[in-house]
Amino acid sequence: MTPTKKTPTIYDVAKLSGVSIATISRVLNSPDKVNAETHKKVMTAIDRLGFVPKAEARARAMQGTGRIGVLTPFFTAPSFVQRLRGVAASLSKANYELVIYPVDSLDHLQGHLSSIPLMKNVDGLIIMSLAIEDIDAKRLSASGMETVLIEYKHRGMNSILIDDEHGGNLVAEYLIQKGHKTFAFLGDIEPPEKFSIHPVRSRLKGYKQTLQDAGFSLPKSNIHSAPYTQKESREAAFEILQLPKPPTAIFAASDFQALAVMKIARQLGIKIPDDMAVVGFDDIDVAEHVDLTTISQHLDESGRLAAEVLLSRINEGGRPLQHVNLPLNLIERATA
Amino acid sequence: MTPTKKTPTIYDVAKLSGVSIATISRVLNSPDKVNAETHKKVMTAIDRLGFVPKAEARARAMQGTGRIGVLTPFFTAPSFVQRLRGVAASLSKANYELVIYPVDSLDHLQGHLSSIPLMKNVDGLIIMSLAIEDIDAKRLSASGMETVLIEYKHRGMNSILIDDEHGGNLVAEYLIQKGHKTFAFLGDIEPPEKFSIHPVRSRLKGYKQTLQDAGFSLPKSNIHSAPYTQKESREAAFEILQLPKPPTAIFAASDFQALAVMKIARQLGIKIPDDMAVVGFDDIDVAEHVDLTTISQHLDESGRLAAEVLLSRINEGGRPLQHVNLPLNLIERATA
DNA sequence: AAGCCGTATGAAAGCACTTTCAGTTTAACA
DNA sequence: TGTTAAACTGAAAGTGCTTTCATACGGCTT
């Protein structure tokens, strides 16, 4: 019917450039595996012919899409970013693409969760710091979409967990051992949105528990809640520092908020750690810069791990579900 | 090994309905050519298995959501992250997916640059802080892939530019006006990798120029180069601060490195800004936290803008190329 | 000189379907 | 009853690509 020139295939390119089709494929998919000269020859041929690989054939031959999706709260907090970095590191090593779905509302989350399994345009999913509902979990596993949850547990899905409560314990122990007698807490413990998780409450719980077990009290007046914003964190910090009987130790449930405390303290001429001790949580990059004593939750590592668990589930059939509990440890620096 | 329920293929349907795969295919593609009873049997099996021809699913997925790719140096620097955040904000508003290609070697970059336009699995591309070669640019535009460059200029491609040299001018002007007489510089000005850009050199150039124009000198001994790492930045900061005739003002070409200076200064008991002024560059999140005087290059905004330019080029035919120059301004805080 | 390594390549075996081709029923007609 | 056209059907041959496996080649070491 059509005696005219068909659209060029990989075979045409191979013939023109004098190599085998395998090499063409390699030039396109793993260029680092082919000699620079060959690469150039092939690219020339490709350009000359205007060759475009047929997506459909490609998808067929490849056992998947080579893409991993990450659902993450819209990345505003440094800790998310740092996790993401870990994920990116693992994926790029394994030659997977990273597709990011920022979530900033329940609708958003629901939309993604319902469309992703249908579209199947990713081979696996990492859900970071988001609470998912039973029905979504079911949909995901029914459609065979491998998923790893970070910071949230669901039977039937892999998860990477942080023992926030234990983190709270660690902080309290440390402060007690340092000889402190009066304590405060700053964190975001407002009733969260439906889809969000509340690690901060667990941190508080552990903190309080250990304090009480040791015979210390954490009065209501010393527990201040502030949303995760610059302004409000500072206001809360200000309130704590202006308390009639100011505590000698503050646990801020995130490094970000610990920074706020440090800043206000400086403004008020309160010396850290002499007048007051501050301990944060997360160990984000800057913590080290400002010498903040904090709980490291190995953010990079948790991302890396999530990606690795996911890939192993995808590529090695029938690996069992994993619930990894990441260790937490206190990093002693200059603020407490 | 384990017969995990992979997505069903045409073979599974064939087995379940007791006919050959060809028949299944016919039921799907030319139903009038198959017996009504067979047709029903097959349909039942298809429903039972939830079978969806893969190609179809993929095609649907492809046309549905748009996808934008971002090529970025492997995200280690806070400034990249902050830009990315801007990009993500715009894209998610416009319902585009964000695919990230971290680049950590020239090979990586080349590989992506040659395969992305061909595969056409993204609708547009944002290339952040990477130098691209002529030939790549040509290939990109030849294949009709819309592209926006950030921090690098190439005729024929949209770009979002930062006037780093002017940033250097601003810093010098400010410091001079504050009455400083002796100056230093800290930044990474080593010969960079082939694919990387060198904004830091421009910053230095502008700084030096303005100083000289005003009759001040910036001796070689006061220009220290250090790679963008914690350790080496601190070592360099230490050297500067230990100079026999220490300068009264330091321009650190990135906030990250300014933090290093501040830290070492604190260790040495040097008061900032009384004994010494420090100005950074970037205005990353933490700059505000630590009250660092710095040059804001509107990182979030640059990312947002890049995404917007890209989307407008994609969706509204024939928009002209844009070379946007982002304004830079000095944010006066407590360190200078 | 023999052994060993690492890189670069091609042959060939998939992948999930579609299509062709030849064979089998079935049904209708002489 | 014998013929034959029509209606189905499955085996097998593509389709355009990826990936595994094996080989070849140029160093290096002993």
Side-chain angles (χ1 to χ4, degrees):
Chain A
M1 195 84 205
T2 26
T4 40
K5 53 172 181 205
K6 315 270 295 176
T7 69
T9 76
I10 199 172
Y11 290 92
D12 301 320
V13 180
K15 205 172 298 169
L16 185 71
S17 48
V19 298
S20 80
I21 60 164
T23 301
I24 310 295
S25 176
R26 268 186 292 254
V27 166
L28 262 20
N29 299 296
S30 31
D32 45 323
K33 280 185 184 152
V34 355
N35 180 298
E37 244 174 66
T38 313
H39 183 276
K40 195 182 286 178
K41 257 194 330 206
V42 170
M43 284 317 276
T44 312
I46 286 181
D47 287 345
R48 178 114 49 109
L49 292 175
F51 166 73
V52 176
K54 291 197 100 192
E56 194 229 294
R58 184 161 198 271
R60 189 191 321 138
M62 273 188 316
Q63 284 251 95
T65 60
R67 249 188 291 251
I68 298 293
V70 176
L71 275 173
T72 164
F74 182 66
F75 48 117
T76 174
S79 52
F80 294 142
V81 172
Q82 215 157 321
R83 275 219 178 90
L84 209 49
R85 195 158 76 195
V87 173
S90 281
L91 292 186
S92 101
K93 212 180 307 165
N95 242 330
Y96 272 81
E97 280 180 9
L98 204 200
V99 183
I100 294 190
Y101 303 91
V103 170
D104 49 16
S105 71
L106 185 56
D107 280 357
H108 238 115
L109 176 62
Q110 281 303 333
H112 286 139
L113 279 180
S114 53
S115 69
I116 288 175
L118 290 180
M119 299 292 192
K120 285 206 204 297
N121 47 0
V122 293
D123 297 338
L125 205 54
I126 293 178
I127 301 183
M128 277 183 25
S129 307
L130 292 165
I132 65 166
E133 314 229 342
D134 246 55
I135 182 170
D136 295 315
K138 241 168 235 146
R139 205 203 321 278
L140 284 173
S141 52
S143 72
M145 174 76 59
E146 282 300 341
T147 307
V148 174
L149 267 29
I150 301 185
E151 276 207 90
Y152 191 73
K153 189 166 187 173
H154 194 285
R155 69 211 151 287
M157 321 215 92
N158 299 283
S159 50
I160 310 288
L161 296 165
I162 313 298
D163 190 347
D164 290 290
E165 198 170 324
H166 180 229
N169 297 150
L170 286 177
V171 173
E173 277 164 25
Y174 177 79
L175 291 173
I176 291 169
Q177 166 234 312
K178 279 276 184 177
H180 290 278
K181 306 270 189 263
T182 55
F183 306 86
F185 177 91
L186 170 60
D188 182 358
I189 52 175
E190 295 305 316
E193 301 210 50
K194 249 169 297 173
F195 63 94
S196 61
I197 55 174
H198 24 263
V200 171
R201 289 168 174 233
S202 306
R203 292 172 198 173
L204 171 56
K205 187 174 168 207
Y207 182 55
K208 200 169 182 175
Q209 189 60 54
T210 300
L211 288 180
Q212 285 175 348
D213 290 354
F216 297 99
S217 72
L218 184 63
K220 269 249 161 57
S221 59
N222 285 17
I223 299 178
H224 283 241
S225 178
Y228 200 85
T229 65
Q230 183 98 224
K231 182 164 160 290
E232 315 204 51
S233 300
R234 288 186 183 170
E235 286 167 6
F238 187 79
E239 281 172 29
I240 294 179
L241 297 177
Q242 296 284 297
L243 246 26
K245 288 195 323 187
T248 65
I250 300 187
F251 171 28
S254 66
D255 285 352
F256 180 85
Q257 293 182 304
L259 290 174
V261 173
M262 290 172 73
K263 170 135 196 185
I264 299 297
R266 213 175 315 134
Q267 282 176 5
L268 296 177
I270 296 173
K271 289 264 178 295
I272 288 175
D274 304 325
D275 302 340
M276 169 158 326
V278 177
V279 178
F281 199 112
D282 283 347
D283 196 27
I284 60 177
D285 282 346
V286 282
E288 209 259 323
H289 268 293
V290 300
D291 258 341
L292 173 64
T293 295
T294 191
I295 298 288
S296 163
Q297 59 160 313
H298 307 281
L299 291 163
D300 285 79
E301 182 57 22
S302 67
R304 207 169 310 132
L305 202 59
E308 274 160 19
V309 168
L310 185 58
L311 293 183
S312 78
R313 288 270 303 181
I314 290 174
N315 298 322
E316 302 156 35
R319 291 278 295 255
L321 281 182
Q322 279 183 263
H323 296 279
V324 182
N325 253 82
L326 237 44
L328 237 36
N329 57 294
L330 191 139
I331 307 226
E332 183 168 5
R333 288 198 274 250
T335 62
Chain B
M1 211 75 285
T2 12
T4 43
K5 48 174 179 202
K6 304 278 288 184
T7 63
T9 77
I10 200 170
Y11 288 93
D12 301 319
V13 181
K15 204 174 296 169
L16 187 74
S17 49
V19 300
S20 82
I21 60 164
T23 303
I24 311 295
S25 178
R26 267 186 294 261
V27 167
L28 261 21
N29 298 299
S30 33
D32 49 321
K33 280 183 182 154
V34 1
N35 179 297
E37 235 173 78
T38 313
H39 183 276
K40 191 183 287 180
K41 256 195 328 203
V42 170
M43 284 315 271
T44 312
I46 285 182
D47 287 347
R48 177 115 55 107
L49 292 175
F51 166 77
V52 176
K54 247 196 171 176
E56 204 177 300
R58 201 182 144 82
R60 227 204 324 268
M62 280 307 203
Q63 72 168 33
T65 340
R67 246 181 286 269
I68 298 294
V70 177
L71 273 174
T72 165
F74 183 65
F75 48 119
T76 173
S79 51
F80 295 141
V81 172
Q82 216 158 320
R83 274 218 179 92
L84 208 50
R85 196 158 75 195
V87 173
S90 282
L91 292 186
S92 103
K93 213 180 307 164
N95 232 355
Y96 272 79
E97 278 179 10
L98 203 201
V99 184
I100 294 190
Y101 303 91
V103 171
D104 49 17
S105 71
L106 184 56
D107 280 356
H108 240 117
L109 176 62
Q110 281 303 334
H112 285 139
L113 279 180
S114 53
S115 67
I116 288 176
L118 291 176
M119 301 300 183
K120 289 208 201 289
N121 45 7
V122 294
D123 300 336
L125 204 55
I126 294 177
I127 302 184
M128 280 185 21
S129 307
L130 291 166
I132 65 166
E133 314 229 343
D134 244 55
I135 182 169
D136 296 316
K138 239 167 239 148
R139 206 201 317 282
L140 283 173
S141 51
S143 71
M145 173 75 58
E146 283 298 343
T147 307
V148 174
L149 267 28
I150 301 185
E151 275 205 273
Y152 191 73
K153 187 165 188 174
H154 194 285
R155 71 213 148 284
M157 322 215 89
N158 299 281
S159 50
I160 310 290
L161 295 166
I162 314 299
D163 190 348
D164 290 290
E165 199 171 323
H166 181 230
N169 299 150
L170 287 177
V171 173
E173 278 163 24
Y174 177 80
L175 291 174
I176 290 169
Q177 167 235 310
K178 279 276 183 174
H180 290 279
K181 307 271 187 261
T182 55
F183 305 86
F185 176 91
L186 170 60
D188 183 357
I189 51 176
E190 295 304 317
E193 299 210 50
K194 251 169 297 174
F195 63 94
S196 61
I197 56 175
H198 25 264
V200 172
R201 287 165 178 236
S202 307
R203 291 171 197 173
L204 170 56
K205 188 174 166 205
Y207 181 56
K208 202 169 179 176
Q209 189 62 53
T210 300
L211 288 181
Q212 284 174 351
D213 290 354
F216 296 100
S217 73
L218 184 62
K220 268 249 160 56
S221 59
N222 283 17
I223 299 177
H224 284 240
S225 178
Y228 199 86
T229 66
Q230 184 98 223
K231 185 164 159 287
E232 316 204 50
S233 301
R234 289 188 181 169
E235 284 166 6
F238 186 79
E239 280 172 31
I240 295 179
L241 297 176
Q242 296 285 293
L243 246 26
K245 290 197 322 187
T248 66
I250 300 186
F251 170 29
S254 67
D255 285 353
F256 180 86
Q257 293 182 305
L259 290 175
V261 174
M262 291 172 72
K263 170 134 198 188
I264 298 296
R266 211 175 317 133
Q267 281 176 6
L268 296 176
I270 297 172
K271 289 261 178 295
I272 290 176
D274 304 325
D275 302 340
M276 167 159 325
V278 177
V279 179
F281 200 111
D282 283 345
D283 195 27
I284 60 176
D285 283 345
V286 281
E288 208 261 322
H289 267 293
V290 299
D291 258 342
L292 174 65
T293 295
T294 190
I295 298 288
S296 163
Q297 60 159 313
H298 307 281
L299 290 164
D300 286 77
E301 182 56 24
S302 66
R304 208 169 310 130
L305 201 58
E308 275 159 18
V309 168
L310 185 59
L311 293 182
S312 77
R313 288 271 302 183
I314 290 174
N315 298 321
E316 303 156 34
R319 290 280 293 259
L321 280 183
Q322 280 182 262
H323 295 280
V324 182
N325 251 82
L326 237 44
L328 236 35
N329 58 292
L330 191 139
I331 307 225
E332 182 169 3
R333 287 198 273 249
T335 61

